[in-house]
Amino acid sequence: PICLDPMHPQSDSAHPLQCASSHCTFNMCACCVESLITSSNDGYEEASDGNMHVKVFLHCPNCRSDLGPTIRETLLLRKADFLLSAGGRDAK
């Protein structure tokens, strides 16, 4: 699931998802990106009714374009910016 929490302005907004579709401007927070990547690594997941269903693919929830080639790099950039901004606040 995708949350409705606000995105971190210095990391999430500065490094948006790179959809192949040029008209898509969908973005999600780093926690949701991590959840999407983790879900895509699983072969099958068990649903609440006990049935197994196919894994999640790294597709944009809005336009369904493939995020696989760029999503991990985007997440790394977000984490680096977040750590740099957190470190800057601690030094003051």
Side-chain angles (χ1 to χ4, degrees), residues 11-82:
S11 58
D12 294 338
S13 299
H15 302 289
L17 295 175
Q18 302 295 315
C19 294
S21 173
S22 61
H23 67 279
C24 182
T25 58
F26 184 82
N27 204 0
M28 61 181 132
C29 72
C31 290
C32 289
V33 172
E34 284 183 30
S35 176
L36 182 63
I37 290 171
T38 301
S39 295
S40 72
N41 291 334
D42 298 334
Y44 289 91
E45 290 185 339
E46 185 175 348
S48 59
D49 61 1
N51 290 324
M52 299 299 281
H53 60 89
V54 183
K55 71 176 183 176
V56 175
F57 294 98
L58 294 175
H59 292 155
C60 174
N62 186 47
C63 70
R64 307 305 299 159
S65 66
D66 184 16
L67 297 173
T70 60
I71 196 167
R72 288 174 179 83
E73 291 82 5
T74 300
L75 184 60
L76 287 173
L77 287 169
R78 289 179 179 192
K79 286 182 175 182
D81 275 2
F82 181 77

